Amino acid sequence: MIFKTDLNYRKQALVKLLLTIQKKEAEIIQALYDDFKKPAFEAVATETSYIVSELEYTIKNLKKWAKPQRVLPSFLNFPSTDYIYKEPYGKVLVIAPWNYPYQLALAPLIAAVAAGNQVVVKPSELADNTSRVIAEIIKESFEEQHVHCVLGGIEVSQNLLSQRWDYIFFTGSVAVGKIVAKAAAVHLTPVTLELGGKNPCIIEETADLKLAAKRIVWGKFLNAGQTCIAPDYLLVHQNIKPTFIGYLKEEITLAYGENPQESPDFPRIINEKNWKRQLQLLENQTVIFGGQSAVSDFYLAPTLLDEPSLDSLVMQEEIFGPILPILSYNSEADLEKIILSYEKPLSLYVFTKENSFAEKTITRFSFGGGCINDTVIHFANKRLPFGGVGYSGIGAYHGKLSFELFSHQKPIVKKGTWLDIPIRYAPYEGKLSGLKKMLKWFS
């Protein structure tokens, strides 16, 4: 059965979703705290306000985005008018992660609905409190055959992936992304994969070191480091390394106090399995700050490591926690050797006052997106595409790009009937030279 989702219906559904989530904001914030001890400030800054903004922006612009786009026709098709129609793919599956469980479930859902699709959302079972609130929001906001939320673990995800979809949107690890891509390939289903990687952060010797330390501490330890675009490791010029480490320690203490476990502003690791993995990453490492942990609430302090080996576990995997390795470099060749030893990352950051160094860095390396003299904030601009490249992901979204992502761009040529140029029709004898002249003229 084809479910009709005309433009007015889509807009009304999104307006209802907006009203529902505004009503339930306190429940969402509490659920995020129950899952992570995520402070209300971070819940609003990185999850609820982002979704409200995305919804309002989409509702405001939906009619304009959905309108057929007229494009310049080819002279070879004269007379004609050419358009791009925005067509929904059909049935869309959204599989959301646990690290930003509300934002990364609702953002693709909003775009998929705006584009006219039917949607099934699978929130993460690891953030079970937030997932239950998401299920309530969806049930209250949409007809069941329009948008449906499915709760459950790995078996549920496997069952969903075994079915045929018109589009799949997945956010998560590279390993699971490969599984999703393989399942989608059976039916040639298009996918968006928002993955991750080892995101380098370069601190060049001309950088404003104190400001760089403050911005790196914020971007790294936001959500206790459980952010796919967080700096994964630092590359600090050897001439400034001791001074910069001192600033990092100062900024961590300023942000979270002498004992971050008592800070209301520092979240926790999502569960025991992930907490134990973080402790494994610390084995045989030189801890120069932090390192304290407690299984009672899956706490791990903001932790700095000095010069881990590139062969060590902490430098082989995406960390996804509050551990920050610090490596030194002396030359651009050192940077290349280290950064190019990994797959293309989701993000790259560089701190410097030298514009030429910044420009050379961002053009030399391939990565999803990033910042000069800051971290993480490129995610916030809905006019910038967000996505990876290579192992860090396929496809990009945000704002209007999200609507386009979930829309098939259908080209249509409306040909006039008042003139019909005969050169294209057989028989072709005697027409080749005329064809070449025409093609050269219009090229």
Side-chain angles (χ1 to χ4, degrees), residues 62-79:
L62 180 55
K63 185 176 180 180
K64 178 173 62 178
W65 294 346
K67 185 179 179 181
Q69 177 188 350
R70 187 168 178 175
V71 299
L72 188 68
S74 168
F75 283 111
L76 294 173
N77 289 334
F78 182 82

Side-chain angles (χ1 to χ4, degrees), residues 69-74 77-85 411-416 418:
Q69 177 188 350
R70 187 168 178 175
V71 299
L72 188 68
S74 168
N77 289 334
F78 182 82
S80 73
T81 52
D82 294 8
Y83 298 86
I84 299 173
Y85 280 71
I412 299 293
V413 175
K414 297 182 179 180
K415 188 66 182 288
W418 57 271

Side-chain angles (χ1 to χ4, degrees), residues 78-357:
F78 182 82
S80 73
T81 52
D82 294 8
Y83 298 86
I84 299 173
Y85 280 71
K86 319 296 173 58
E87 177 183 80
Y89 278 101
K91 293 180 171 62
V92 170
L93 173 64
V94 174
I95 301 178
W98 54 262
N99 60 324
Y100 289 88
Y102 175 73
Q103 182 224 118
L104 295 176
L106 270 289
L109 163 63
I110 291 165
V113 168
N117 299 283
Q118 293 173 265
V119 189
V120 169
V121 179
K122 164 62 177 67
S124 174
E125 70 278 10
L126 300 187
D128 58 336
N129 295 290
T130 307
S131 294
R132 284 196 295 271
V133 177
I134 290 171
E136 292 171 7
I137 289 170
I138 289 174
K139 186 175 183 180
E140 190 171 327
S141 303
F142 300 100
E143 294 183 59
E144 188 172 6
Q145 71 257 45
H146 185 198
V147 179
H148 184 63
C149 183
V150 178
L151 301 178
I154 294 174
E155 289 185 2
V156 171
S157 296
Q158 291 172 336
N159 180 53
L160 288 169
L161 287 171
S162 70
Q163 300 176 38
R164 183 167 185 171
W165 301 93
D166 298 302
Y167 203 99
I168 298 175
F169 189 103
F170 169 79
T171 306
S173 69
V174 173
V176 180
K178 291 180 179 180
I179 295 171
V180 173
K182 186 175 181 179
V186 173
H187 299 294
L188 300 178
T189 301
V191 297
T192 292
L193 303 177
E194 296 295 343
L195 308 176
K198 292 197 74 65
N199 305 320
C201 181
I202 302 164
I203 300 87
E204 192 259 348
E205 57 184 329
T206 65
D208 182 329
L209 299 187
K210 185 168 179 57
L211 183 61
K214 177 182 287 189
R215 291 176 175 178
I216 289 168
V217 165
W218 173 78
K220 173 61 182 180
F221 299 112
L222 184 75
N223 203 35
Q226 298 165 114
T227 305
C228 60
I229 54 175
D232 196 87
Y233 62 100
L234 303 185
L235 290 163
V236 185
H237 195 280
Q238 63 182 18
N239 292 345
I240 58 168
K241 183 184 171 190
T243 302
F244 188 67
I245 288 174
Y247 283 132
L248 285 174
K249 293 176 180 179
E250 287 179 14
E251 290 300 333
I252 292 172
T253 303
L254 285 171
Y256 304 114
E258 294 292 341
N259 183 4
Q261 189 173 9
E262 296 177 355
S263 170
D265 300 322
F266 189 69
R268 298 300 187 259
I269 306 301
I270 183 66
N271 60 14
E272 185 174 5
K273 179 181 176 182
N274 283 272
W275 177 81
K276 286 182 175 179
R277 176 181 169 273
Q278 294 294 308
L279 296 189
Q280 288 176 342
L281 299 180
L282 293 179
E283 291 177 1
N284 303 315
Q285 296 300 326
T286 303
V287 176
I288 56 175
F289 189 85
Q292 301 84 2
S293 63
V295 70
S296 57
D297 62 350
F298 309 137
Y299 166 74
L300 177 61
T303 300
L304 304 178
L305 303 182
D306 189 35
E307 299 291 345
S309 166
L310 295 185
D311 296 328
S312 62
L313 189 60
V314 75
M315 291 305 296
Q316 288 296 309
E317 299 180 358
E318 181 181 5
I319 294 170
F320 224 67
I323 300 170
L324 185 57
I326 304 171
L327 307 177
S328 57
Y329 79 92
N330 184 46
S331 66
E332 292 180 21
D334 294 336
L335 293 176
E336 289 194 7
K337 182 179 178 181
I338 296 171
I339 295 173
L340 295 179
S341 69
Y342 298 105
E343 297 289 346
K344 297 174 182 179
L346 184 57
S347 297
L348 181 146
Y349 307 108
V350 55
F351 287 81
T352 180
K353 291 180 182 176
E354 293 289 339
N355 292 333
S356 60
F357 180 83

